[in-house]
């Protein structure tokens, strides 16, 4: 659990994997991602700065009535997330970075329980400093008619692929 920031200390499940939103900007997208994480029994991590507040009133306004059931934490920085991930995993965590600029398709990855799916902000994506390990950079293919999927749609596509590979009862 995060040492700083907000979190849900009363989560109702053990996460199968983790979803990280690096500096998300739009509360509605984060709410939709939270719903997907709950549906997949994944933990949601939010890396500051955020484009919104995560207090009760703000969450309720975004329609996040299920938020108390979600396993989630907020951390102040990427470095703090890495420390939390290492503590959680007990070994070096496997981060998968999602970007429209990656060359490897998400379905080519071999996911494992406990993996970390990392997504960037809605307007700028992930910083290049986080994309150093090219074999762990993934993209979701889309038509040339659009630049990318909505953040919440991308998390759903990737999350359900990971659940399918885990042969999760959720994905059946």
């Amino acid at each position: 659990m995060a040492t700083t920031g907000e979190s849900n200390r009363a989560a109702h499940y053990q996460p199968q994997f983790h979803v990280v939103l690096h500096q998300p900007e739009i509360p509605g997208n984060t709410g939709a991602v939270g719903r997907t994480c709950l549906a997949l029994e994944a933990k949601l991590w939010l890396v500051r700065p955020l484009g919104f507040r995560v207090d009760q009133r703000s969450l309720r306004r975004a329609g996040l009535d299920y938020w108390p059931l979600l396993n989630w934490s907020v951390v102040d920085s990427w470095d703090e997330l890495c420390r939390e991930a290492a503590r959680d995993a007990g070994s070096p965590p496997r981060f998968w970075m999602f970007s429209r600029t990656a060359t490897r398709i998400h379905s080519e990855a071999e996911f494992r329980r406990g993996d970390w799916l990392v997504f960037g902000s809605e307007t700028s994506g992930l910083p290049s400093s986080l994309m150093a390990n090219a074999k762990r950079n993934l993209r979701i293919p889309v038509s040339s008619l659009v630049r990318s999927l909505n953040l919440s749609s991308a998390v759903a596509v990737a999350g359900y692929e990971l659940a399918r590979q885990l042969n999760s009862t959720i994905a059946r």
Side-chain angles (χ1 to χ4, degrees), residues 61-121:
R61 188 177 321 124
L64 307 178
D65 55 338
Y66 54 85
W67 203 257
L69 302 175
L70 178 65
N71 190 336
W72 65 280
S73 290
V74 180
V75 294
D76 288 331
S77 67
W78 178 255
D79 289 341
E80 183 180 348
L81 177 79
C82 290
R83 286 190 299 274
E84 293 293 328
R87 187 180 358 250
D88 181 79
S91 61
R94 289 179 12 126
F95 291 113
W96 296 95
M97 308 301 191
F98 283 80
S99 171
R100 67 181 180 92
T101 63
T103 57
R104 188 171 179 199
I105 297 174
H106 74 289
S107 58
E108 296 172 353
E110 293 182 19
F111 295 118
R112 294 192 292 223
R113 186 173 307 279
D115 278 355
W116 295 69
L117 309 181
V118 182
F119 300 84
S121 72

Side-chain angles (χ1 to χ4, degrees), residues 95 97 130-137:
F95 291 113
M97 308 301 191
L130 300 185
M131 305 283 295
N133 186 349
K135 75 176 190 167
R136 292 275 172 79
N137 297 342

Side-chain angles (χ1 to χ4, degrees), residues 13 17-22 24-47 52 59 62-64 66-67 69-73 117-122 149-160:
Y13 58 92
F17 60 95
H18 303 264
V19 171
V20 177
L21 300 185
H22 185 266
E25 300 164 333
I26 302 171
N29 282 340
T30 301
V33 169
R35 183 184 306 265
T36 298
C37 287
L38 186 57
L40 289 169
E41 296 181 356
K43 181 168 183 175
L44 175 61
W45 294 83
L46 305 175
V47 180
F52 50 89
L59 296 175
L64 307 178
Y66 54 85
W67 203 257
L69 302 175
L70 178 65
N71 190 336
W72 65 280
S73 290
L117 309 181
V118 182
F119 300 84
S121 72
E122 292 89 341
L149 291 176
N150 174 277
L151 176 60
S152 62
S153 298
V155 170
V157 168
Y160 275 92

Side-chain angles (χ1 to χ4, degrees), residues 7 12 19-20 22 24 43 47 55-56 90 109 124 139 148 157 162:
S7 64
H12 298 270
V19 171
V20 177
H22 185 266
K43 181 168 183 175
V47 180
D55 58 33
Q56 281 298 81
S124 57
R139 71 178 173 85
S148 61
V157 168
L162 192 155

